[in-house]
Amino acid sequence: MNTRIISLVYLLPSLTPALYLLRKYLIDSDLNRLHLSGVIIRFNTLVPLITVSGALLTIYLISKNRLKSYHPSWIININLITFFFYFAIFTLNITKYPNYSYTFTGVPYEHALLHLFANSILLFTLFTQAKFIEFTQNFTDTIFKRNLVKELKKDILRYSRIIFLALILFQIIELYAKIPFFMRLKLDEGSIFGSKYEVVEEIKKLPNDSVIVHPPQSSDWPALSNQVILRYYTIPRLLVSGEISKLSYEDENLSEFYLIRTTNQSNNKTWPHSVEDWILDQLDTDPEAFEQTTIWETEYDQIIQIKKI
Amino acid sequence: MKIIAILLYFSALYTKYMFSSIEDYYPPSFWISAIIHASILIYSAINLLKEKLQNKPATGSDNRSLFTLFKSQPKSIKIIATLIVAIAATVFYLQFYIAYNRQTSDWDSVALYDARARYIELGYKFSDFPKFSEYDITGNDRYYLLHPPHTSLLHSVIYKSNISDIFPTGMIYVVHMLALAISLYIFSKEVYNNKFYAFITACLLYISPDFALMGMTDYTNLPYSTFILIGVFLLLKYMSGREKTTSLVLGIALISQSLWIRAIEPVWFPIFIMFPIAYAIFNKEMPRVWMRAFSVITLGLALTAIDQNSWNTFVTTNTTHAVSLFSISTPETLGNMLIGMFTGTYLYVTTYFILSLKSRLVWYVILPLLTISMIASKFPKKTNSTLRSVSIIIFSLVLYYYSGAYYTIASTTWWASVKDSLARSSIYIYPLSLILLPGLMISLNDENKKKKQ
């Protein structure tokens, strides 16, 4: 059996970038061909699995003397090109923001990681074909010889430097991938829960003994609806979850209270949907007893101060 | 290393004193533990002073400098070493830079650790915190008392003394990281008698993504692991017979004081019980090994019981939640666990475990396995036994986390969200596995040389 037939499997990864671009610029623009887009995505995510298993299979077959020759060298070149393509996307995503490359290449960040991982395995097996085949031969032999520990020791000795280097390099790559995101989170968006929300800045202007009713806890307002987060910035003021309807303001002897109304512009979600309805339903009090005095309007949020007569 | 240990220990005792000055009520076991810990501190400080005054010269140690050792290495190791040192230095610089140029922004820190410090500054007490959740839909009044107050009190010390410009709160974590790296250097220098390898292990600590990022985050995991690891190093020294009672007492005290930082994970269980017994079994020929193991077990369990009890009673008196040591009580979860044993839940738990720990698992499982198989009398006896016992500790900790994952999957519905915290709470295993790495490299090099000859 000739190696070149199985080597064709190695061509698949080089197809994937072209398919991503095709999907991005030709197919997605035409709504009638949307089903093709899904097929391409599925095919592209399957490619890493197919190629890695193909590579391991060929090596196993060569080590069993079923195949005659090693992989030809032009396959290495093709795989190197695709490797650098995905590595470029990976670095772009790290230095800019996650999924940055999706806007112009159509490759999701997670897919790029998957391809990068598979391609690095392919390249490793291609570069160290002879040694790798030797290793698998030894490994399969040892299992049948039942001298596992002794033979494994020999194999580990032979490849120890590569294994340890790989361990350390893996850590360095992980560090390289994580630190830029982390730095940006710490330095640029350090006040993500605080001053970026203008509503928090507005709450800070309110008197210390005020009661603040905040949106119900949900993923729509991850920071604003979470009491433990909101309290950090608004501390002496009493926070009340919008879900608690049985709260009676009569007992508290309060003259005024404040509603936070947030507007999530992208999804057009508002809380509460209507101020009058909310007061009627949730608090079960007379709407005429309240007088709306001021509304602060900021870019994203509104605070409504309601005075009780 | 003992000086670092005493300084860390003093910081923990100081925050205990602060806690007692803030609160009106504290359980009696709090006082008992405070008295015991104070006497241990004084005893070990006096003993350390005596040792320093006697100034014994270390026998048989390698006095060559780092640079000459570096020169004698082969070329490939030189290149790798320079790469490692350069990256470690940049990470070290970044930690300093970020500590001085950031605000508190991590979710748990804003919600809990730094928040408590701010509230104490405003005049609240720890016993006031459960009232905050009165109008919260979750109604979880234990939230602010879930973790003991050590790091929060350290933050509040900085806020009170107005030194946050010179020494911002982020520096607490940088200093803990540095203390851990230095003690790792000292310990591995004593194990291998080689400064070069010790320096590389200390640098590898900074290269680990977990530790590099933990040094920039206001979480409790880093101080917790420093306390536990330095305690383990001291106990290892004691068990191998190199050091006497000072290191035993200090090590146990540090590990039990780690309950003042995080109290929900009983990590002391594998350290105090499985490790001394395993050590004694593997080193039967050593004199008085069983005596030492027995003293570690009894003293350790007694101190941790007092410390755990003091915080737990404080929480139970102030909240509606009852805290107990082992909460495996409902028959339903026990049934789930038993049924799971026969229906192949192991596979499920194992994949979950591998996915949550990812590349760390290579360090935690393969390195100790290799050391146990490879290191057979390549080193002097003491080094061999310490390396073997380190791998035993790692194994027992991995087993402990595996069974913990099994328990959470059997008993809860939210187990899928524990992945990150499982990885974060087990980071202190990494430095332990680092100690094995140079030992493996040395023994491998020796065998390669033998083969060539």
Side-chain angles (χ1 to χ4, degrees):
Chain A
M1 209 168 151
N2 200 342
T3 325
R4 304 215 167 195
I5 300 161
I6 297 177
S7 294
L8 285 178
V9 175
Y10 282 79
L11 282 175
L12 286 177
S14 60
L15 281 177
T16 51
L19 281 175
Y20 276 123
L21 291 172
L22 190 79
R23 180 180 141 265
K24 177 76 190 165
Y25 288 106
L26 288 176
I27 295 169
D28 272 8
S29 56
D30 187 0
L31 282 174
N32 292 325
R33 295 189 204 155
L34 265 178
H35 59 282
L36 253 180
S37 160
V39 169
I40 285 173
I41 281 283
R42 252 169 227 166
F43 174 73
N44 277 358
T45 45
L46 270 177
V47 162
L49 203 92
I50 297 167
T51 44
V52 168
S53 47
L56 294 176
L57 184 75
T58 43
I59 278 166
Y60 176 75
L61 290 176
I62 292 169
S63 68
K64 287 267 127 189
N65 294 325
R66 300 254 172 83
L67 290 177
K68 280 159 197 168
S69 59
Y70 294 145
H71 291 297
S73 61
W74 53 269
I75 275 175
I76 296 179
N77 295 332
I78 283 171
N79 271 304
L80 264 178
I81 291 166
T82 44
F83 178 81
F84 281 119
F85 175 78
Y86 287 116
F87 190 74
I89 285 172
F90 173 65
T91 42
L92 270 177
N93 281 324
I94 286 167
T95 46
K96 299 284 181 181
Y97 54 85
N99 255 343
Y100 169 77
S101 58
Y102 187 72
T103 48
F104 56 91
T105 56
V107 186
Y109 180 53
E110 288 185 356
H111 289 201
L113 281 181
L114 199 70
H115 283 289
L116 203 62
F117 182 65
N119 262 7
S120 53
I121 286 177
L122 286 186
L123 284 174
F124 181 75
T125 52
L126 285 171
F127 278 129
T128 58
Q129 276 184 83
K131 278 196 171 183
F132 211 74
I133 287 157
E134 207 181 313
F135 179 75
T136 44
Q137 270 173 351
N138 282 334
F139 194 76
T140 45
D141 288 348
T142 47
I143 287 169
F144 295 115
K145 274 181 196 166
R146 297 184 186 233
N147 269 332
L148 250 179
V149 179
K150 270 191 180 178
E151 296 294 319
L152 260 181
K153 262 188 189 177
K154 273 183 191 170
D155 287 348
I156 287 161
L157 261 178
R158 214 167 289 157
Y159 306 106
S160 63
R161 290 245 173 94
I162 298 170
I163 291 168
F164 291 132
L165 241 181
L167 268 177
I168 289 161
L169 276 179
F170 198 78
Q171 290 224 332
I172 290 169
I173 288 167
E174 213 181 325
L175 198 69
Y176 171 66
K178 272 181 182 173
I179 275 202
F181 285 141
F182 210 75
M183 292 270 288
R184 210 169 301 122
L185 191 77
K186 293 279 164 189
L187 300 175
D188 302 346
E189 298 163 35
S191 52
I192 189 159
F193 305 124
S195 54
K196 259 209 168 177
Y197 280 94
E198 292 178 40
V199 67
V200 169
E201 290 297 307
E202 294 299 328
I203 291 172
K204 279 181 183 171
K205 291 172 191 167
L206 303 177
N208 280 350
D209 58 344
S210 50
V211 175
I212 291 147
V213 183
H214 63 82
Q217 191 154 17
S218 66
S219 57
D220 295 338
W221 309 282
L224 266 184
S225 64
N226 198 326
Q227 265 199 11
V228 285
I229 293 288
L230 195 58
R231 187 173 290 121
Y232 183 75
Y233 301 101
T234 62
I235 172 71
R237 301 160 189 91
L238 181 67
L239 296 178
V240 175
S241 177
E243 283 161 273
I244 298 174
S245 55
K246 61 191 173 195
L247 186 83
S248 74
Y249 286 88
E250 309 275 335
D251 302 340
E252 300 281 338
N253 290 322
L254 293 167
S255 62
E256 52 191 292
F257 69 95
Y258 307 89
L259 278 172
I260 300 169
R261 188 156 84 158
T262 57
T263 318
N264 194 330
Q265 288 182 331
S266 56
N267 299 321
N268 198 19
K269 285 169 187 162
T270 49
W271 183 87
H273 294 290
S274 152
V275 180
E276 279 88 16
D277 291 353
W278 189 82
I279 292 167
L280 268 177
D281 296 345
Q282 305 281 316
L283 293 177
D284 196 29
T285 46
D286 185 13
E288 284 173 11
F290 294 96
E291 184 196 334
Q292 191 170 317
T293 51
T294 34
I295 299 177
W296 294 292
E297 281 198 38
T298 58
E299 199 179 336
Y300 299 109
D301 314 294
Q302 290 181 340
I303 293 183
I304 300 161
Q305 188 191 36
I306 298 166
K307 247 183 189 162
K308 192 177 162 194
I309 303 161
Chain B
M1 188 152 75
K2 273 186 208 159
I3 298 169
I4 293 169
I6 282 179
L7 285 176
L8 285 175
Y9 192 36
F10 176 73
S11 75
L13 272 181
Y14 183 72
T15 51
K16 274 200 172 178
Y17 164 73
M18 275 188 70
F19 183 74
S20 70
S21 64
I22 288 168
E23 293 301 317
D24 298 328
Y25 165 78
Y26 17 79
S29 51
F30 181 84
W31 273 121
I32 297 168
S33 83
I35 289 163
I36 293 171
H37 281 301
S39 52
I40 288 174
L41 181 69
I42 292 163
Y43 170 78
S44 48
I46 288 168
N47 270 11
L48 192 71
L49 261 178
K50 268 185 194 169
E51 275 180 33
K52 289 287 159 190
L53 286 176
Q54 283 172 354
N55 202 11
K56 278 181 194 167
T59 48
S61 63
D62 194 346
N63 283 324
R64 285 180 290 173
S65 72
L66 256 177
F67 192 65
T68 47
L69 278 170
F70 176 73
K71 271 183 179 173
S72 64
Q73 299 294 328
K75 207 175 186 181
S76 59
I77 288 182
K78 268 183 192 171
I79 294 166
I80 298 167
T82 43
L83 185 77
I84 288 169
V85 172
I87 291 171
T90 47
V91 169
F92 184 67
Y93 168 73
L94 275 178
Q95 284 186 351
F96 260 91
Y97 178 76
I98 286 177
Y100 278 97
N101 287 294
R102 74 179 162 104
Q103 293 178 324
T104 307
S105 64
D106 314 296
W107 187 280
D108 282 5
S109 180
V110 165
L112 186 64
Y113 305 126
D114 195 50
R116 288 192 301 198
R118 299 262 180 201
Y119 305 161
I120 289 162
E121 208 187 354
L122 288 169
Y124 289 97
K125 287 178 206 162
F126 279 92
S127 45
D128 294 338
F129 293 157
K131 287 172 204 157
F132 284 165
S133 64
E134 204 176 341
Y135 296 114
D136 196 355
I137 194 71
T138 56
N140 182 8
D141 60 352
R142 202 192 147 193
Y143 186 85
Y144 286 101
L145 300 181
L146 188 65
H147 292 292
H150 177 63
T151 47
S152 300
L153 286 170
L154 282 182
H155 281 218
S156 78
V157 169
I158 287 171
Y159 293 141
K160 266 181 190 166
S161 50
N162 279 328
I163 51 165
S164 49
D165 292 336
I166 315 158
F167 194 86
T169 50
M171 279 300 288
I172 292 170
Y173 304 92
V174 178
V175 166
H176 272 95
M177 180 96 179
L178 195 65
L180 182 56
I182 290 169
S183 45
L184 192 65
Y185 169 77
I186 293 169
F187 184 72
S188 50
K189 197 180 80 181
E190 281 172 13
V191 170
Y192 296 115
N193 199 9
N194 188 330
K195 280 179 192 167
F196 177 73
Y197 283 115
F199 191 67
I200 293 297
T201 40
C203 285
L204 276 172
L205 181 72
Y206 275 93
I207 278 182
S208 137
D210 296 320
F211 273 89
L213 299 187
M214 273 300 155
M216 311 170 187
T217 320
D218 292 351
Y219 284 179
T220 47
N221 301 85
L222 183 61
Y224 183 67
S225 40
T226 9
F227 269 64
I228 284 211
L229 282 173
I230 295 176
V232 166
F233 294 155
L234 288 170
L235 282 186
L236 272 171
K237 273 186 174 184
Y238 172 75
M239 287 297 286
S240 64
R242 265 179 289 175
E243 301 268 343
K244 285 178 184 172
T245 41
T246 326
S247 62
L248 162 77
V249 164
L250 249 182
I252 283 173
L254 267 180
I255 291 170
S256 69
Q257 279 289 13
S258 74
L259 293 171
W260 189 236
I261 306 173
R262 286 176 81 84
I264 40 174
E265 302 132 344
V267 173
W268 47 266
F269 186 76
I271 290 172
F272 280 150
I273 295 178
M274 283 151 92
F275 149 65
I277 291 173
Y279 191 95
I281 289 170
F282 277 98
N283 301 291
K284 274 176 198 163
E285 69 280 4
M286 268 172 71
R288 301 177 71 197
V289 166
W290 282 105
M291 254 314 278
R292 291 209 194 92
F294 182 71
S295 58
V296 167
I297 292 169
T298 46
L299 267 176
L301 287 186
L303 254 182
T304 42
I306 293 168
D307 271 329
Q308 185 100 43
N309 179 273
S310 72
W311 179 250
N312 282 359
T313 40
F314 181 78
V315 174
T316 39
T317 47
N318 283 304
T319 63
T320 52
H321 289 255
V323 188
S324 59
L325 262 185
F326 299 103
S327 51
I328 311 170
S329 52
T330 54
E332 201 181 322
T333 52
L334 279 175
N336 277 344
M337 285 166 85
L338 275 175
I339 292 165
M341 277 178 193
F342 301 108
T343 51
T345 318
Y346 287 123
L347 201 71
Y348 202 50
V349 177
T350 313
T351 48
Y352 171 78
F353 196 65
I354 290 169
L355 278 176
S356 58
L357 290 180
K358 285 172 198 155
S359 60
R360 299 172 191 88
L361 216 63
V362 179
W363 294 90
Y364 300 167
V365 175
I366 292 175
L367 276 184
L369 263 177
L370 284 181
T371 33
I372 284 180
S373 63
M374 302 289 295
I375 299 175
S377 65
K378 287 283 174 311
F379 290 105
K381 232 179 198 178
K382 274 173 187 171
T383 313
N384 259 334
S385 61
T386 44
L387 288 184
R388 228 179 264 151
S389 53
V390 163
S391 34
I392 289 161
I393 299 175
I394 293 171
F395 267 135
S396 56
L397 285 172
V398 168
L399 249 178
Y400 157 73
Y401 276 104
Y402 184 83
S403 53
Y406 191 86
Y407 171 67
T408 42
I409 283 178
S411 62
T412 60
T413 51
W414 40 261
W415 52 268
S417 59
V418 202
K419 254 183 200 176
D420 284 343
S421 80
L422 194 143
R424 226 188 296 127
S425 65
S426 64
I427 55 166
Y428 57 87
I429 309 177
Y430 174 76
L432 275 176
S433 64
L434 273 186
I435 291 166
L436 305 175
L437 190 66
L440 263 181
M441 291 301 271
I442 291 168
S443 62
L444 289 175
N445 279 340
D446 289 352
E447 276 196 22
N448 272 338
K449 274 176 196 169
K450 268 183 196 173
K451 277 201 167 178
K452 275 175 190 172
Q453 284 167 4

